[in-house]
Amino acid sequence: MSGPGVYVHFPYCTHRCTYCDFTLQTPRRVPGRRYADLVLAELALRGPAFSGPAASFYVGGGTPSLWEVAELGRVLDGVRGSLGLADGAEVTVEANPDQVDDAWVDAVRAIGVNRVSLGVQALHDPLLEALTRRHRTSGALAAIGRLARAGLASWSLDFIFGLPGQTPASWREDLARIVDLGAPHLSIYGLTVEPRTLLARDVRRGAVHVPGDEAQLDMLLTAREVLGAAGYAHYEISNYAQPGHRAAHNSSYWDWRPYLGLGAGAHGFDGAARWQNQGRVKRYAEALAAGGLPEAEREVLDAETASFERLMTGLRRLDVGVELGADWPRYADAVAREAAAGRLVVDGTRIRLSDAGFRVMDSVLVALMPGG
Ligand SMILES: C[S@@+](CC[C@H](N)C(=O)[O-])C[C@H]1O[C@@H](n2cnc3c(N)ncnc32)[C@H](O)[C@@H]1O
Ligand code: SF4
């Protein structure tokens, strides 16, 4: 499928977790209907610049499971009616365990959602408390059971490692439990201490200790080993899939394909320029009301930047890497040096990171950077 992916950002949560730096707001009442109207207004402006049908649809957040399913359904119908949605397109919604009851699962399936990505994060209550999550392990396990029984085409679980108090040994135990859950797809992120968060303040004060970079890399390598042995392909830095369950929508980012980003704070890319929308819903709405695109930033990429970014995102695909094609001469010398050092594997004009290169990905990228 070669059409664009459609991403809709849902910028509301019940509260802000201490580690989270995403674009979101925490109103007492989420204005779901009005927000759907805004997204549909933006779709009317941006849709004509993209040729459909869309290959995938993804609602992320924030907490999209707080959106009334009927409103999400209106937005999905809007995409069906404008760009169109390819047969068999992957339709994903992110959810927090608190909202995933049987009625919610039935309702999202009825509007055409065929994949759910659940934010589990950890399987120990003290870790969930440290992350200021509202759900507890028992709630996450109940939600996972519902997804497993729902007859979805696929489902995915999000976890974070490198948490305060987590050790390589306790992470190894957690991975064994994660394998037992039997999810077709897993997204597993190393904790990033984002500068503007409460977590960062606590780390600076010494009130919270998080594992250092070395320990985090060890945990990532443990995940790769344990999940690999359980039949998961480590197909992108933070993503693991059983056969046939790689995330189609996210792959469109790594493949450098255009995607239509809608909603407050959403990013989009049309093949030549990328943009980020206004993050505050008020500003986003004002721009739409004035008949303009609700953008905070737009960047038209020059050939050199576009080429290097395509390479960077492509190298995140650990097993297939990136086909340099016509860009080959730009990188040939640096690729030869990195390959000789055992950090890149070269197959014709396709390159990928070796195991050794994966451990030092940042320095490989610096070595490949034009003028680097
Ligand atoms: C923006 S969240 C949206 C999903 C949902 N609201 C949730 O939190 O479960 C997407 C994923 O990013 C990950 N994430 C968010 N902040 C992170 C951070 N500071 N470091 C590592 N992973 C993070 C979490 O695993 C989360 O599930
Ligand atoms: S629920 Fe998810 S998006 Fe919302 S604040 Fe927490 S981590 Fe961020």
Side-chain angles (χ1 to χ4, degrees):
M1 271 185 238
S2 59
V6 177
Y7 174 80
V8 176
H9 192 72
F10 184 78
Y12 300 108
C13 286
T14 52
H15 71 293
R16 183 178 283 277
C17 303
T18 47
Y19 58 91
C20 181
D21 190 29
F22 281 77
T23 303
L24 58 92
Q25 294 166 225
T26 56
R28 200 165 298 164
R29 214 192 123 266
V30 172
R33 180 165 184 78
R34 181 172 138 68
Y35 189 68
D37 286 340
L38 293 171
V39 171
L40 287 168
E42 188 188 359
L43 173 64
L45 288 177
R46 293 201 190 270
F50 283 80
S51 50
S56 60
F57 178 91
Y58 189 107
V59 191
T63 306
S65 47
L66 292 175
W67 210 353
E68 296 88 338
V69 175
E71 300 305 332
L72 172 55
R74 275 206 302 135
V75 171
L76 190 49
D77 280 344
V79 171
R80 288 191 182 101
S82 54
L83 265 79
L85 200 55
D87 284 346
E90 181 189 272
V91 179
T92 305
V93 59
E94 283 180 359
N96 282 20
D98 295 333
Q99 287 90 40
V100 179
D101 56 19
D102 287 334
W104 183 85
V105 174
D106 289 348
V108 293
R109 286 208 60 199
I111 62 165
V113 170
N114 53 27
R115 185 173 181 275
V116 173
S117 173
L118 186 72
V120 179
Q121 320 308 353
L123 292 171
H124 293 286
D125 287 352
L127 288 181
L128 290 170
E129 278 167 40
L131 290 174
T132 60
R133 298 296 298 206
R134 293 271 161 92
H135 73 270
R136 292 294 168 258
T137 308
S138 58
L141 295 177
I144 291 166
R146 289 189 187 101
L147 296 184
R149 289 189 302 272
L152 294 157
S154 197
W155 49 282
S156 179
L157 304 176
D158 281 6
F159 289 94
I160 306 180
F161 63 90
L163 300 175
Q166 198 172 39
T167 62
S170 71
W171 174 234
R172 191 174 275 278
E173 284 168 24
D174 287 353
L175 283 164
R177 296 177 71 198
I178 291 171
V179 167
D180 285 343
L181 299 172
H185 186 278
L186 297 164
S187 296
I188 305 195
Y189 304 101
L191 178 68
T192 308
V193 179
E194 301 286 355
R196 292 177 309 169
T197 56
L198 289 175
L199 174 67
R201 189 201 60 187
D202 288 347
V203 169
R204 272 197 306 273
R205 283 179 178 168
V208 169
H209 298 277
V210 292
D213 291 350
E214 284 282 307
Q216 233 195 47
L217 180 59
D218 272 356
M219 290 186 194
L220 198 163
L221 294 172
T222 305
R224 179 180 169 85
E225 172 207 319
V226 174
L227 297 174
Y232 286 91
H234 186 197
Y235 72 102
E236 194 270 347
I237 307 240
S238 308
N239 288 281
Y240 302 79
Q242 290 184 357
H245 289 279
R246 294 181 184 215
H249 181 80
N250 293 351
S251 297
S252 71
Y253 305 144
W254 305 319
D255 287 350
W256 199 245
R257 278 181 278 146
Y259 60 95
L260 170 54
L262 301 169
H267 295 260
F269 174 58
D270 64 9
R274 63 175 165 215
W275 68 86
Q276 181 174 17
N277 279 346
Q278 295 285 355
R280 303 295 304 173
V281 177
K282 188 167 175 289
R283 293 223 179 123
Y284 171 75
E286 282 165 1
L288 287 169
L293 289 174
E295 290 175 0
E297 281 171 38
R298 166 171 285 264
E299 186 185 2
V300 180
L301 301 176
D302 61 60
E304 189 169 284
T305 309
S307 161
F308 186 64
E309 292 204 358
R310 189 175 77 81
L311 178 151
M312 257 194 327
T313 44
L315 281 181
R316 295 184 66 93
R317 308 197 65 188
L318 298 173
D319 52 358
V320 294
V322 55
E323 172 55 60
L324 293 178
D327 282 346
W328 174 259
R330 224 185 258 275
Y331 303 107
D333 292 346
V335 165
R337 283 194 295 274
E338 291 302 297
R343 292 188 283 263
L344 284 178
V345 178
V346 183
D347 176 10
T349 50
R350 177 176 285 278
I351 60 170
R352 67 179 167 81
L353 289 166
S354 66
D355 275 4
F358 166 66
R359 287 161 203 251
V360 291
M361 181 170 176
D362 287 348
S363 47
V364 176
L365 290 176
V366 170
L368 295 176
M369 202 181 279

